[in-house]
Amino acid sequence: MKKIVITFLLSIFTIGAIAKTSVAADRWLEIDLYWFEHKDMQKSADIFWQRYEPLMKGIDGWKGVIINVGWITDYLYEWQGDINQEIKLPKNMRTWGSIKDGGQLAGTTPERMDLWKERFEKADKPQSIEYEKWTYADLKKLVSILKKTAQNKYNLKDIKVGTFITGGDSSYDGDKAQFSIKHPNSYRNGKPNMVAKLEAENHKYGAYPTGIPAGTPLTEFFGKQWGSLSKALNLDVIILRDGFLGTGLYSRRKGPYGETAPKDPKLVKEWSDAIGDLVKQTKISNPKALVIGYSNAASAVGGWRANCFDLETIAKEGYLDGWIDQSWAGSWNEVGQRPVMNYVPEVRFWSSPLLGYSYMLSYMLSHSAMLADTKVHHYFLTETFDAWETWDMIHNARERSRWGIWAYSHAAVKMPSGLKMPNGSYISWCNRGKNLLSEEDVAFIANTTNEAFTDAASTKEVFGPTMVYCRSALEWQNNNKPDENIKEWIDEQAGTLMKWSAPIMSVTRLEYLPKVESELFMFQTPSHLTSSEKTNLITALQSGKPAMVIGSPAGGLDPEIASLLGVSSTDTAINGTKYIGSINYKTDGIYQGLPNTFPIFQPFTQNKFTKELESIYSVSFSPALGYNQTNGKNLIYWDAPEFFNNLPAGTDNYKGSLDQIMGSPVPYVLTARLMNETLKKSGFAYVDEIKLEKPVQLSMWQLKDGSFKIMAGNLEEGINHTADHKIETVLNLPSQFVKNKSVEISEVWNRTSSIIGNKKLNINLEQAQTKLYIIQKPQ
């Protein structure tokens, strides 16, 4: 008992101590201009910093406040260089309202849907937002007051203030951007047309006092306008939000040229070069100001392969200072957070499961690999409540939000020099209407985020499978066959496997082999490799260590690697989609409890496995998942399925449950079970059972002091439709974690301890619950 009490006291002391010591991280806070009182800016600044000072105290990296000035581009584009000019803020905007209750919806899926309808019958109705009249001089004054108040009253030095800008030609039912009317070619499908050349215009602009010359690139106009505006207002940061670095918002099938990249590689390069020029022009127009990009929320691989911009190349040019990974994971993952509205018909009970918690982690990992060898500061978005929409994660899914902060702060790149972790976080929003987060909410976010980043900085090793990013394959594909799919979507595939206890929390690059290690490398479409990449990959596959290769036999595999695995195909390209999978009457082991046939969305090739590659499941008599154990190998091959939303013909807005989007969880559960078996066979951590309808998320890492952390989450919606939302699993701890017969395991967040003697950790989670375990360094 004494030992347990001491552990609790140490935990409490640590929570308090972190707030008083420096945290090696960057931090940004987002708030809307409408929250500030135009007539009493000082009062607003005092109230803001009194509430949010705890989030900035001790942060020793970049830190600041990002203000939303009306969402659309008019604030920047219509700047004429006159500080006394009134800002063109859109009118007729309206929020989605807000929900009044907090917590998870209970019951079966139909019962929860009834509660959802009742929730929105009681919810606050949408509200009109009419910005007060602000001049640019007023905004400059507000920027100055925020900085001075932070420094003089709270000793917060080097606070930066900036704005974000989105690419849409309108937002939240507001007025259409004036610039889009004057220059319609500057937009394409309602988003910035990066390759546009502007027509001549004699209207005065801040950077063009005599008008816009004919043929001026939109990217140059944007950058020079920002330079003029930011210098005049003393702005320190611009966030290039929705639509600027990826027009396909919240989907990988809404790129600038449609559902896929265009057939012509020159168009792909032209678009990517234009985005690079946007970043460059924005930076060189005011080198002192930071330029930070913002993801499109969906697949990072899709950012290049469908949205047509090469983030890695742009980052290496040196003009991009930061990158925010976001999917608003909770607001899209949680059910019953949005109303059904006539003007947003795609919003439903399920929202967008493919943007949920595990997917944001995998998308972030892929971006981490792309940014690994750059100076770009990599961030993740922490969602609280919303200034415009109904969702409210801080009060409806607080434990899942805490999981997100810890998981995303530990999203590790395995580099030859060691682990590379994210640099900081972007917290959104700070206001809902005229309300700020409560003191309790701020303390929760501050303590959770500070503890997570402090822990990440002390992390020595991340366990579990590791995604392997293969730039060579994607580069060849974009330069030669950009419109063809080779099943390169490793972040979507890994984000799904995570749901069923595949403890994926790291990524690496193929060219880093053999200088990095993993319990199980997951190789993305190894095709068109350099000679050294191919040699190192073959060595890894022949080593006897667990490994996995994902890719289509038609274009996604190097022929020699395909032969080593034991797979071939008579097709040279994917040929349509098949819809029925089968485990071929098997019932034992990893097949236990699974149906013999199951619906699936399989972009199809007719495959053939050699006798060395055991078929685990097949689609229309074509084997899709295999396991090769011959001659000491321990290899998994997966010709992965697709999601319904990513099939051709514009299905990306489908808002069904996750199991409907998958067709069935069966192929993902089988793959996760096979991975689990290979880890068990090699002496790594594994679980006793992976249940189809009870997904459990797991992550594991070791700190530099020798202790181990295990994080577990009950995160998923749309798989289990019963009223029983509890989940459980048994994690078998490897000898690396436990040296003696018995070991004490402390659960940090609920402050409990237990002693186990069989190396089995029983994990039990209530609905939406998450837990963090610690095992002290084995003696």
Side-chain angles (χ1 to χ4, degrees):
M1 177 61 75
K2 269 185 184 177
K3 192 170 184 179
I4 294 173
V5 171
I6 290 170
T7 301
F8 287 167
L9 290 174
L10 285 172
S11 299
I12 295 169
F13 174 78
T14 301
I15 291 171
I18 287 172
K20 296 177 181 178
T21 58
S22 64
V23 179
D26 299 352
R27 190 161 300 166
W28 305 100
L29 307 179
E30 183 180 84
I31 191 166
D32 203 288
L33 180 64
Y34 77 68
W35 179 84
F36 293 95
E37 296 293 337
H38 176 264
K39 295 180 180 178
D40 199 342
M41 298 182 206
Q42 185 61 60
K43 179 181 177 182
S44 292
D46 288 339
I47 293 171
F48 176 86
W49 284 120
Q50 183 180 15
R51 182 58 48 85
Y52 289 110
E53 179 265 351
L55 271 167
M56 293 301 197
K57 188 175 182 180
I59 302 303
D60 66 4
W62 294 340
K63 52 186 176 289
V65 181
I66 305 299
I67 303 172
N68 174 30
V69 187
W71 289 99
I72 57 176
T73 54
D74 278 354
Y75 145 71
L76 175 64
Y77 285 177
E78 297 299 325
W79 158 249
Q80 297 175 14
D82 179 5
I83 197 74
N84 294 311
Q85 175 192 345
E86 183 179 331
I87 302 173
K88 288 187 181 297
L89 292 165
K91 300 184 183 301
N92 305 311
M93 301 180 79
R94 59 173 177 165
T95 70
W96 290 9
S98 59
I99 54 180
K100 298 178 180 179
D101 56 6
Q104 294 285 311
L105 301 177
T108 64
T109 293
E111 290 168 344
R112 298 173 89 195
M113 288 181 169
D114 288 340
L115 293 173
W116 163 58
K117 294 172 184 175
E118 184 179 344
R119 163 180 277 175
F120 280 98
E121 289 172 359
K122 299 176 181 178
D124 291 334
K125 301 304 179 185
Q127 301 292 315
S128 295
I129 295 292
E130 297 294 343
Y131 286 96
E132 297 181 81
K133 290 184 178 180
W134 287 78
T135 66
Y136 288 98
D138 294 332
L139 185 55
K140 180 177 182 178
K141 180 180 177 182
L142 176 61
V143 169
S144 176
I145 289 173
L146 283 169
K147 292 178 182 179
K148 289 179 179 179
T149 304
Q151 178 162 329
N152 296 339
K153 289 193 175 183
Y154 297 98
N155 197 33
L156 296 174
K157 299 177 181 179
D158 300 320
I159 288 291
K160 301 179 187 298
V161 178
T163 63
F164 76 67
I165 191 165
T166 64
D169 58 4
S170 67
S171 191
Y172 292 99
D173 288 353
D175 297 342
K176 195 169 184 179
Q178 289 296 306
F179 198 81
S180 71
I181 297 171
K182 292 187 291 184
H183 293 273
N185 75 318
S186 66
Y187 286 83
R188 179 186 292 186
N189 299 322
K191 300 296 185 295
N193 180 8
M194 291 300 175
V195 297
K197 302 293 190 292
L198 301 178
E199 295 182 0
E201 184 191 354
N202 59 13
H203 179 76
K204 180 182 179 181
Y205 292 95
Y208 300 85
T210 60
I212 302 173
T216 299
L218 176 66
T219 55
E220 180 182 313
F221 174 78
F222 183 103
K224 289 184 175 180
Q225 279 290 99
W226 165 251
S228 173
L229 175 65
S230 58
K231 290 174 182 177
L233 272 59
N234 296 324
L235 292 168
D236 307 303
V237 193
I238 185 169
I239 310 289
L240 301 174
R241 266 197 58 168
D242 313 44
F244 281 106
L245 275 71
T247 63
L249 302 180
Y250 303 102
S251 168
R252 68 163 163 92
R253 298 192 64 78
K254 293 180 182 177
Y257 298 98
E259 293 184 346
T260 67
K263 191 167 187 175
D264 186 354
K266 293 179 182 178
L267 292 177
V268 178
K269 186 177 188 307
E270 180 185 38
W271 190 270
S272 187
D273 288 348
I275 292 180
D277 191 58
L278 173 76
V279 174
K280 176 181 177 179
Q281 295 291 339
T282 305
K283 184 64 180 180
I284 65 176
S285 295
N286 184 357
K288 293 182 180 179
L290 300 177
V291 179
I292 299 176
Y294 187 90
S295 78
N296 77 323
S299 165
V301 175
W304 193 8
R305 293 287 292 112
N307 268 286
C308 302
F309 78 97
D310 182 356
L311 176 62
E312 181 175 337
T313 294
I314 292 169
K316 286 182 176 179
E317 290 172 351
Y319 302 107
L320 186 66
D321 296 296
W323 177 262
I324 300 166
D325 254 294
Q326 59 88 23
S327 74
W328 301 92
S331 67
W332 293 116
N333 189 92
E334 300 300 323
V335 298
Q337 290 289 312
R338 287 172 161 80
V340 174
M341 297 174 292
N342 293 331
Y343 60 95
V344 191
E346 72 271 19
V347 173
R348 294 292 184 267
F349 175 78
W350 294 110
S351 291
S352 292
L354 297 183
L355 304 175
Y357 298 106
S358 67
Y359 292 115
M360 179 165 162
L361 176 56
S362 59
Y363 301 157
M364 185 174 184
L365 285 168
S366 286
H367 279 135
S368 296
M370 297 173 188
L371 297 171
D373 294 316
T374 76
K375 70 175 184 64
V376 174
H377 290 216
H378 193 187
Y379 309 129
F380 61 87
L381 185 143
T382 296
E383 52 197 317
T384 56
F385 52 18
D386 199 271
W388 290 83
E389 300 182 16
T390 50
W391 57 262
D392 184 349
M393 293 306 101
I394 192 73
H395 302 118
N396 286 290
R398 180 168 292 212
E399 291 207 25
R400 286 174 171 173
S401 296
R402 178 172 57 191
W403 177 92
I405 293 170
W406 273 80
Y408 308 144
S409 62
H410 288 71
V413 186
K414 293 194 170 186
M415 303 183 68
S417 59
L419 298 180
K420 183 177 181 180
M421 298 291 194
N423 301 90
S425 59
Y426 183 86
I427 297 170
S428 179
W429 291 76
C430 286
N431 73 293
R432 162 165 277 181
K434 288 293 185 177
N435 298 318
L436 300 178
L437 293 168
S438 69
E439 291 182 12
E440 178 188 359
D441 294 336
V442 171
F444 169 78
I445 297 169
N447 284 335
T448 301
T449 308
N450 291 348
E451 291 166 8
F453 274 99
T454 300
D455 190 273
S458 300
T459 297
K460 173 184 176 182
E461 180 60 276
V462 171
F463 301 109
T466 300
M467 298 161 55
V468 182
Y469 177 64
C470 183
R471 178 176 172 85
S472 294
L474 303 190
E475 188 169 37
W476 188 93
Q477 206 67 28
N478 264 20
N479 290 341
N480 294 274
K481 298 181 178 180
D483 59 327
E484 291 190 11
N485 172 7
I486 56 171
K487 302 199 174 180
E488 61 269 46
W489 320 108
I490 190 170
D491 42 15
E492 292 181 339
Q493 297 149 359
T496 309
L497 296 172
M498 290 178 192
K499 300 176 185 298
W500 282 279
S501 301
I504 305 163
M505 204 169 68
S506 64
V507 69
T508 193
R509 296 173 63 102
L510 183 54
E511 60 264 37
Y512 293 165
L513 268 63
K515 296 179 181 179
V516 293
E517 294 184 356
S518 173
E519 295 173 359
L520 191 159
F521 283 122
M522 302 170 64
F523 294 103
Q524 173 199 34
T525 53
S527 59
H528 306 288
L529 308 177
T530 67
S531 59
S532 61
E533 288 173 343
K534 182 174 176 179
T535 298
N536 291 332
L537 175 54
I538 290 174
T539 299
L541 296 179
Q542 292 177 332
S543 69
K545 296 178 180 178
M548 181 178 190
V549 175
I550 308 173
S552 171
L557 299 176
D558 176 274
E560 191 173 345
I561 292 168
S563 176
L564 191 156
L565 291 166
V567 58
S568 60
S569 176
T570 55
D571 293 312
T572 57
I574 289 171
N575 183 23
T577 306
K578 300 292 185 180
Y579 301 98
I580 300 176
S582 176
I583 58 176
N584 302 310
Y585 317 109
K586 300 171 186 175
T587 58
D588 297 330
I590 63 172
Y591 306 97
Q592 187 172 4
L594 299 181
N596 182 53
T597 59
F598 49 90
I600 192 171
F601 305 114
Q602 183 78 9
F604 191 73
T605 54
Q606 185 62 56
N607 302 338
K608 181 180 180 181
F609 284 4
T610 64
K611 63 180 181 180
E612 289 82 13
L613 185 61
E614 176 190 357
S615 175
I616 306 299
Y617 75 81
S618 60
V619 180
S620 294
F621 305 103
S622 175
L625 176 66
Y627 187 33
N628 189 329
Q629 301 181 77
T630 59
N631 300 320
K633 298 191 191 83
N634 200 358
L635 304 179
I636 299 171
Y637 168 69
W638 194 24
D639 181 10
E642 187 56 280
F643 301 129
F644 176 75
N645 297 43
N646 292 334
L647 296 178
T651 59
D652 62 276
N653 279 332
Y654 179 72
K655 306 294 181 184
S657 58
L658 185 57
D659 55 0
Q660 292 174 324
I661 290 171
M662 292 176 178
S664 167
V666 171
Y668 301 98
V669 171
L670 264 174
T671 306
R673 286 180 177 180
L674 183 57
M675 294 171 71
N676 187 62
E677 286 300 307
T678 63
L679 292 171
K680 176 182 178 180
K681 177 182 174 182
S682 299
F684 300 120
Y686 67 96
V687 294
D688 277 354
E689 184 180 8
I690 295 175
K691 300 177 182 178
L692 186 146
E693 294 185 351
K694 297 282 188 175
V696 183
Q697 195 284 336
L698 293 174
S699 306
M700 292 168 279
W701 63 95
Q702 184 181 27
L703 301 184
K704 293 174 184 176
D705 65 6
S707 62
F708 297 89
K709 294 278 179 71
I710 299 166
M711 187 165 64
N714 184 347
L715 307 179
E716 301 310 322
E717 300 289 353
I719 297 295
N720 170 25
H721 300 288
T722 73
D724 180 10
H725 299 285
K726 298 178 182 178
I727 59 174
E728 63 282 324
T729 193
V730 177
L731 177 64
N732 294 270
L733 303 174
S735 57
Q736 184 180 2
F737 287 35
V738 182
K739 299 291 185 183
N740 301 318
K741 221 175 189 184
S742 63
V743 64
E744 180 180 353
I745 300 179
S746 300
E747 203 286 285
V748 179
W749 294 333
N750 292 286
R751 298 181 180 179
T752 61
S753 292
S754 60
I755 297 174
I756 63 172
N758 56 2
K759 296 186 179 181
K760 288 182 177 287
L761 174 61
N762 292 287
I763 299 173
N764 298 281
L765 301 171
E766 299 293 328
Q767 181 178 5
Q769 187 179 23
T770 61
K771 291 183 178 181
L772 178 66
Y773 300 91
I774 183 169
I775 303 173
Q776 297 301 333
K777 179 180 179 180
Q779 300 300 318

